[in-house]
Structure formats: C-alpha cells, structure tokens
Amino acid sequence: MVAAIDNPILNGPYDAPSRHFELGTTGPTGEIQDGRRPSESFIPVPSPRKGQKGQQALDLDVSGERREKNPLINDIRYEVGLWRQRGYPGVSPISRKLLQHWADPTRENRVMFCQREAAETAIFLSEVSGRHGTTDFRRQIDPQNDLHNDGLPRIALKMATGTGKTVVMSMLIAWQTINKVYSPRDARYSKRFLVVTPGITIRDRLRVILPSEETNYYRERDLVPGDLWGALREAEIIIANYHAFL
C-alpha cells in the first residue's frame, strides 16, 4: 500500500473513465492501469464465534472483507458503452434526440458522464436490451424483482453523493414524459410520477424537478431541447414525504 498519491485524479468528469489506480489486497498500489475499474463489492465477513475456527477465504483483503466482482453490472456497462459508441440504435426518435442532446460535447453546460451513463442505462434496459442483437438483461433482473419486489419492479442506479442524482431524476422524467406525449399508447412510458422523499428538507429541495418551477433543472442544466418543452410541461409530478403514507 502506498503512503500517498500525489494526484489521485486520472479522468475528466465528462467522458468515460479510461484509467484507474490498481487496488491490491492491502490497498492502493499507486500503479495506474488502463481501462475503467471493474465494479466489485467489498462484503464484510463475520468473525468466527468463540471456539470455532474461522475458514480464511483466499479473496479476503487486509480489511477482512471479501472482494467479489459484480458481473451483471460490468456486463451492462460494457453493452451500454458499445451502444453509446454506435449512436444509440434501437431507441425511439425522442429518446435518441435526448441522448444526443445530453452527449453533445459542444454544449456550454455539459452533462457529467456519470449522469449520462445512469440515464443511458435506464433507457437501454427499457428500450433496447434483448433486441437488436443485445443481451436481454431482463432475464436476470426480472426474477429478482419477482422475488423481492413482486408487483413493484425496481432498478437501482447507484451514484455517489454529490454526483447529481437529482439531475438524473430530471433526465428520466423528461425521457418518460416527452415520449409519452408523442406516443401516448406506448406502455413503456408515463407522464405521471410519484417521488417519495425521506424528509421535508429533501422534499423541498426536489422542487427543481418540477418543470413549472422558475429554477427548474431542465432549464438550468439545459436537459431538454427547446422544441420539446411543450411536451415536458405535461408532466404530472407529486413529491411527497414518506410520512404521508404511514
């Protein structure tokens, strides 16, 4: 493990990561490797009870956690990346217009890569996965939803604090709403949304996802082309604190 890394920043915020620091069994080695760091989990391993001999797994690191690759996440990332490089084939005209708008490198207010990738992944899984020669990831996701969330399927987009989750929420609302307005019979889309928050403060902060708000993110972050604003205004959004359902 190295004592310190002089410059820990290897990648810019607007493009896919192309390098990463190697992470050894004792921590960062300081070595730079090409490509994006694969997704993996660090799973705590409980200490053996008194009188029992703990079986030491070969993949434990210095913290005593078990490192485990996340093949589903890595496979989805890979296919979304290929799909991005090909220009987003297989999506609706509205979805493609939004995706290209968000990815435009000449924008004054560029969308960060982590935000784009989150929205791209949701769109890919909804409109593309299993078609046009792509892997049908729903065959892996749907059984887990049936097991854990029967009747309320969910997909998680994991993002770090400060990376713009509210921006992604706005992007997804725009994608769904505008598609629904232009294709009202398409069951994949909706223009009605319920956002449940864990507290009143967050509820109030999320008013930026309302197109009717003067300081909404759609305008501030230039998330919707001007000619699609009329459709976006048809979004019906309710933001409620979770206490309302107790």
Side-chain angles (χ1 to χ4, degrees):
M1 180 175 179
V2 295
I5 296 175
D6 292 335
N7 182 10
I9 300 175
L10 297 178
N11 303 285
Y14 303 115
D15 300 301
S18 59
R19 298 185 299 167
H20 68 277
F21 285 106
E22 179 186 46
L23 190 61
T25 57
T26 59
T29 66
E31 295 294 323
I32 297 175
Q33 297 188 337
D34 291 333
R36 183 176 188 173
R37 183 190 306 281
S39 173
E40 58 184 351
S41 298
F42 291 77
I43 304 171
V45 178
S47 301
R49 294 182 180 179
K50 187 176 181 180
Q52 293 181 341
K53 292 183 178 180
Q55 184 176 357
Q56 187 75 10
L58 295 178
D59 57 353
L60 296 185
D61 66 6
V62 70
S63 67
E65 297 178 320
R66 177 164 55 87
R67 294 174 62 178
E68 185 175 291
K69 290 285 195 301
N70 295 316
L72 177 60
I73 295 174
N74 290 319
D75 290 346
I76 291 176
R77 279 181 178 175
Y78 176 74
E79 291 215 22
V80 169
L82 291 179
W83 172 66
R84 182 188 307 118
Q85 293 173 10
R86 294 168 181 162
Y88 308 113
V91 296
S92 74
I94 292 296
S95 296
R96 181 177 290 106
K97 185 169 185 174
L98 289 171
L99 288 163
Q100 292 173 341
H101 180 68
W102 299 332
D104 184 359
T106 65
R107 290 168 50 108
E108 181 178 350
N109 190 355
R110 295 185 67 183
V111 178
M112 290 196 294
F113 175 76
C114 61
Q115 298 164 351
R116 280 176 47 207
E117 185 182 47
E120 288 170 348
T121 301
I123 296 172
F124 176 84
L125 292 174
S126 175
E127 299 190 27
V128 182
S129 181
R131 297 181 287 275
H132 312 289
T134 62
T135 302
D136 191 353
F137 291 107
R138 293 168 299 179
R139 293 183 178 181
Q140 300 178 62
I141 296 172
D142 289 350
Q144 293 300 315
N145 266 312
D146 292 340
L147 179 63
H148 300 288
N149 313 305
D150 190 22
L152 185 64
R154 292 181 289 180
I155 294 176
L157 302 171
K158 186 176 181 180
M159 299 178 65
T161 300
T163 53
K165 294 183 288 293
T166 308
V167 173
V168 175
M169 292 172 64
S170 303
M171 295 165 76
L172 295 178
I173 288 172
W175 159 59
Q176 282 280 307
T177 299
I178 299 171
N179 269 294
K180 190 64 175 179
V181 171
Y182 279 86
S183 303
R185 295 187 178 182
D186 196 326
R188 294 176 299 176
Y189 308 116
S190 175
K191 60 179 182 179
R192 297 183 177 92
F193 308 91
L194 172 63
V195 180
V196 182
T197 66
I200 295 175
T201 300
I202 296 178
R203 181 198 64 186
D204 294 341
R205 288 178 180 173
L206 284 179
R207 293 191 64 82
V208 293
I209 69 174
L210 301 175
S212 58
E213 285 289 302
E214 183 177 352
T215 56
N216 66 76
Y217 269 5
Y218 309 97
R219 288 200 186 279
E220 285 195 355
R221 305 300 175 94
D222 187 22
L223 299 180
V224 176
D227 60 330
L228 297 180
W229 255 94
L232 177 64
R233 290 193 180 96
E234 294 194 27
E236 300 174 22
I237 306 169
I238 295 176
I239 307 173
N241 192 39
Y242 80 99
H243 287 98
F245 303 96
L246 298 180

